[in-house]
Amino acid sequence: MPEIVEKINDVPLASPITRKSRAQQTNYGLYSHICGTNISYGNVSCLTSSVKAFVEESIALCQPDQVHICDGSDVENKMILRIMLEEGTIIPLPKYENCWLARTNPADVARVESRTFICTENIDETIPTPKEGVRGTLGNWISPDDFQQSIHGRFPGCMKGRTMYVVPFSMGPLGSPLSKIGIEITDSPYVVASMRIMARMGTPVLDQLRKQDEFIRALHSVGTPLNGILEYFSWPCDPERTIILHNPSENLIVSYGSGYGGNSLLGKKCFALRIGSTIAKREGWLAEHMLILGITNPDGEKKYITAAFPSACGKTNLAMLNPSLPGYKVECVGDDIAWMKFDTEGVLRAINPENGFFGVAPGTSLETNPIAMATIFKNTIFTNVAYTSDGGVYWEGMESSLASGVQITDWLGKPWTKESGRLAAHPNSRFCTPAGQCPIIDLHWEDPQGVPISAILFGGRRPVGVPLIYEARSWSHGVFIGAAMRSESTAAAEHKGKAIMNDPFAMRPFFGYNFGHYVKHWLSMANRGKVPKIFHVNWFRKDSNGKFVWPGYGDNSRVLEWILRRCNEEHCYIDVAIGKIPAKSALNLNNMKEVTDYEELFSLPKEFWLQETAEIRAYFESQVGSDLPQEIYNELSQLRERVAQI
Ligand code: OXD
Ligand code: MN
């Protein structure tokens, strides 16, 4: 038996069939009941009356066999791991310390944007009205009646024979004025173990709730397939009927049918972004799909930057940058989500509401992100990566760290070699790892006040036409740049191919309310405090041979250096049609391994930009229409005029 399994063996456990009697066997339960249902673990007296009411309603609806109230302890975690091991949901990875591999049903591998809905009384609270005959792409609305019907068509009795876990969690450091609490109810042990990594979870959260009885309700079930046959017993799910519902006015999230990532770890996309953005609008702050990093220059001056890139476009890599510029240091606050609010001095401060990284594995390597590689090989749950005969993991990009003679099993459980002609790891395979383990985690990453933000970056994968970096001319121009963001699609959701898609603010799949109103809210931030400078970056420009013109990764520190200088108002730029770009001598290209051509990085092909502005206009007019503030249309017209002069 691998040592790793022995280590969790000290926790007694009943087999799945006799699991009902776990409480008696383990003495962890209090032998009490809630709604006539046995509590197998945890203490009902810890629940505030409103949490208890939510649990009771959920029991009545889902009819679980037993209830487990999570305390977040180590003992509990071992129990959950044992359950997953017994059910075949995870396998141990003895090469590392406390690491596990989950392999999902191949029909449940990514966020399902087409089944993700926001419920409001009126449709225009949720989505802008597209032009007649055009299909809206800025979110999906569901009426209150259909919301109820969707729940009642799926949830009654869906947890029969299963354990219902009650997961108290905090997004953001416990007790921070910027943090918010949620209660996720789920029937998935994988969700419990992952939420323990991704959020602050357990008894301390219940203690905090007694001081502030206010929380987001989040109900999740992997579902019961209608035909009753679980082809993949180890990963129950109901892909045919998957649905992810949000009701902002009730602070309620309901998710059914998927056990995967953003569909099931409800603190992340559902709470921190979709519901979060609606709360942020009400309360006057921003909930954004952004990494947060701190960068210190050789003089010891430190600034914090946030950056919004679409899913799987390198946020984790930038957040953990290993600068190639001597004397620079980057520290990581977060890699996916930022909650930002002005403090009483008018300084915009950000917290990372998460507690872990749920990063895309393929492409992560000692060459591309050595810091991530130094983070993820302990206390980590990997999902849908390949595994090796020496008890480790493997994915595309890890070729150079593969020991010879090692055999590989792909994410589907089949033997794999480089000649197999298929991917070893699913392109959206992930690591779920505690943020605190990151060797460059910022000293202030859990500061309840947040860190002060000096610059906001937007960016995406743009193979043609878009320069390495440009700075917005003003706040409203910057908001326009965010609204006009476009990027090649990636594997993080169900989209196929490499089409250039509009992904405004990298939030297209995550808006909790009408995008036009969201832009208005962004514009209004300028009246609330000192707004940071806004930049657009593109690491992915290619030359006519299809080769990247910028090496990226550690060399992105050269771009950050210029940003820092601009934050100090240095005159190191030139004005061009689309904004400010580094003056030729201002971007530090010294000692680069590859020769890099300034012209190739910064040329502005007139034809491209004429077409780009026309496409942005077509997008705004067909998708957002009159919901988009006039200020943004004005910015577009001014850009078009400047481009005409190129
Ligand atoms: C993510 C995503 O999982 O953006 O972070 O899809
Ligand atoms: Mn993301």
Side-chain angles (χ1 to χ4, degrees):
M1 184 182 300
E3 198 202 341
I4 187 167
V5 177
E6 267 170 36
K7 274 195 193 147
I8 59 168
N9 257 353
D10 50 333
V11 179
L13 184 79
S15 75
I17 301 132
T18 56
R19 238 202 255 152
K20 264 188 207 166
S21 57
R22 188 190 322 280
Q24 286 83 346
Q25 290 192 23
T26 60
N27 261 340
Y28 298 133
L30 290 182
Y31 307 95
S32 59
H33 290 79
I34 179 166
C35 271
T37 306
N38 184 41
I39 296 183
S40 61
Y41 186 99
N43 188 345
V44 74
S45 65
C46 293
L47 307 181
T48 63
S49 55
S50 31
V51 175
K52 195 159 168 247
F54 177 40
V55 176
E56 283 169 350
E57 274 163 34
S58 304
I59 292 172
L61 181 64
C62 307
Q63 299 160 34
D65 266 22
Q66 56 186 354
V67 176
H68 173 133
I69 299 165
C70 294
D71 60 12
S73 67
D74 213 36
V75 166
E76 173 184 79
N77 190 44
K78 285 180 175 173
M79 256 175 78
I80 300 289
L81 290 169
R82 285 284 320 266
I83 292 168
M84 287 198 284
L85 266 174
E86 288 195 355
E87 292 183 354
T89 309
I90 55 170
I91 56 173
L93 295 167
K95 187 169 173 182
Y96 318 119
E97 194 187 321
N98 189 28
C99 287
W100 311 88
L101 168 60
R103 284 179 302 174
T104 72
N105 181 318
D108 189 21
V109 292
R111 287 183 290 98
V112 197
E113 291 177 7
S114 58
R115 311 277 189 87
T116 300
F117 296 89
I118 310 284
C119 173
T120 45
E121 271 310 314
N122 302 310
I123 184 166
D124 58 5
E125 292 168 77
T126 295
I127 43 174
T129 314
K131 205 165 167 173
E132 232 182 279
V134 172
R135 193 183 62 84
T137 56
L138 284 161
N140 302 310
W141 175 74
I142 191 165
S143 70
D145 279 353
D146 289 346
F147 181 87
Q148 285 308 330
Q149 270 185 27
S150 302
I151 295 173
H152 289 293
R154 289 168 173 82
F155 277 85
C158 69
M159 295 187 191
K160 273 190 185 147
R162 297 196 192 143
T163 303
M164 170 187 276
Y165 298 92
V166 179
V167 184
F169 65 98
S170 170
M171 298 312 288
L174 258 179
S176 156
L178 289 128
S179 299
K180 304 270 176 206
I181 285 177
I183 300 288
E184 176 161 353
I185 289 183
T186 179
D187 52 8
S188 161
Y190 170 87
V191 167
V192 176
S194 307
M195 285 295 286
R196 185 170 183 267
I197 296 172
M198 293 306 297
R200 284 90 180 164
M201 187 270 252
T203 305
V205 181
L206 291 176
D207 294 343
Q208 179 68 24
L209 264 181
R210 277 193 292 280
K211 296 182 210 148
Q212 58 161 90
D213 197 13
E214 202 186 289
F215 62 95
I216 305 298
R217 291 175 297 153
L219 174 61
H220 169 253
S221 171
V222 291
T224 319
L226 282 178
N227 62 15
I229 299 163
L230 295 173
E231 195 193 340
Y232 286 83
F233 173 75
S234 58
W235 189 271
C237 59
D238 190 356
E240 297 286 303
R241 295 192 301 158
T242 290
I243 198 160
I244 298 117
L245 301 162
H246 307 72
N247 190 325
S249 66
E250 292 185 20
N251 279 344
L252 173 65
I253 302 161
V254 181
S255 167
Y256 176 92
S258 166
Y260 198 85
N263 301 333
S264 69
L265 314 180
L266 301 184
K268 192 173 180 59
K269 304 300 181 183
C270 299
F271 179 176
L273 291 178
R274 298 196 190 95
I275 295 288
S277 64
T278 66
I279 301 175
K281 172 153 187 289
R282 274 200 304 274
E283 297 181 354
W285 50 278
L286 297 169
E288 300 301 326
H289 193 202
M290 291 180 176
L291 67 90
I292 312 168
L293 64 82
I295 175 159
T296 309
N297 72 11
D299 296 332
E301 188 192 355
K302 182 168 187 178
K303 291 206 189 307
Y304 289 94
I305 293 174
T306 61
F309 307 157
S311 305
C313 284
K315 282 200 300 298
T316 307
N317 290 346
L318 184 60
M320 298 180 191
L321 185 86
N322 193 11
S324 65
L325 273 187
Y328 277 84
K329 183 164 86 178
V330 164
E331 286 156 298
C332 174
V333 178
D335 79 330
D336 196 43
I337 299 176
W339 282 357
M340 296 185 284
K341 193 174 186 175
F342 285 110
D343 66 14
T344 47
E345 311 292 304
V347 174
L348 191 63
R349 292 191 165 266
I351 60 162
N352 168 14
E354 301 192 277
N355 192 45
F357 306 122
F358 186 67
V360 177
T364 309
S365 69
L366 290 175
E367 294 78 38
T368 61
N369 194 339
I371 304 291
M373 295 298 272
T375 306
I376 60 180
F377 295 117
K378 51 182 193 258
N379 309 316
T380 297
I381 301 174
F382 295 91
T383 303
N384 286 344
V385 300
Y387 73 92
T388 56
S389 51
D390 61 348
V393 289
Y394 179 78
W395 51 74
E396 280 62 32
M398 274 179 81
E399 292 76 3
S400 67
S401 32
L402 197 61
S404 66
V406 159
Q407 266 115 52
I408 296 174
T409 304
D410 74 8
W411 71 280
L412 291 163
K414 300 206 176 73
W416 183 93
T417 64
K418 283 180 192 149
E419 289 71 46
S420 299
R422 46 176 215 279
L423 297 174
H426 186 278
N428 191 36
S429 54
R430 302 277 179 147
F431 49 79
C432 177
T433 198
Q437 285 180 191
C438 176
I440 59 160
I441 199 74
D442 191 74
L443 195 62
H444 300 288
W445 84 283
E446 299 197 276
D447 188 329
Q449 304 310 319
V451 295
I453 300 303
S454 301
I456 294 175
L457 276 48
F458 294 123
R461 290 176 187 265
R462 297 303 307 265
V464 269
V466 179
L468 178 64
I469 169 116
Y470 62 100
E471 179 188 332
R473 300 153 70 95
S474 63
W475 179 252
S476 62
H477 180 221
V479 176
F480 159 77
I481 292 171
M485 267 171 70
R486 306 171 81 199
S487 186
E488 263 179 1
S489 56
T490 66
E494 71 264 45
H495 310 290
K496 301 270 177 287
K498 288 224 159 189
I500 301 284
M501 290 172 67
N502 285 83
D503 193 348
F505 294 83
M507 280 286 283
R508 184 193 43 75
F510 310 122
F511 292 121
Y513 62 98
N514 183 318
F515 166 60
H517 307 169
Y518 168 95
V519 173
K520 196 164 165 216
H521 178 56
W522 261 77
L523 288 171
S524 77
M525 294 304 279
N527 309 323
R528 291 179 185 270
K530 185 175 164 343
V531 284
K533 281 188 184 297
I534 295 180
F535 300 83
H536 187 281
V537 297
N538 175 30
W539 320 134
F540 301 95
R541 195 169 187 174
K542 290 183 175 166
D543 65 15
S544 49
N545 300 318
K547 188 174 168 292
F548 288 115
V549 297
W550 179 249
Y553 304 112
D555 283 320
N556 293 337
S557 56
R558 298 168 188 275
V559 176
L560 297 186
E561 180 194 57
W562 183 74
I563 292 172
L564 290 189
R565 292 175 64 190
R566 287 299 304 134
C567 290
N568 287 337
E569 299 297 349
E570 274 188 52
H571 267 270
C572 50
Y573 67 89
I574 50 173
D575 264 314
V576 294
I578 62 171
K580 296 172 181 170
I581 60 170
K584 196 158 180 178
S585 58
L587 186 67
N588 185 345
L589 301 180
N590 296 338
N591 302 320
M592 284 186 70
K593 284 208 188 96
E594 292 166 42
V595 184
T596 307
D597 180 26
Y598 177 89
E599 299 306 326
E600 253 183 338
L601 292 171
F602 290 103
S603 67
L604 291 177
K606 180 167 180 174
E607 280 314 308
F608 170 87
W609 278 96
L610 284 174
Q611 188 175 335
E612 179 79 357
T613 47
E615 284 174 10
I616 294 169
R617 181 169 296 280
Y619 176 75
F620 284 169
E621 287 178 354
S622 63
Q623 290 293 331
V624 210
S626 59
D627 281 331
L628 194 70
Q630 188 54 42
E631 238 169 305
I632 299 298
Y633 281 114
N634 296 347
E635 288 292 345
L636 175 60
S637 304
Q638 287 160 23
L639 173 64
R640 173 68 179 70
E641 277 166 32
R642 294 193 302 267
V643 167
Q645 325 268 306
I646 291 181

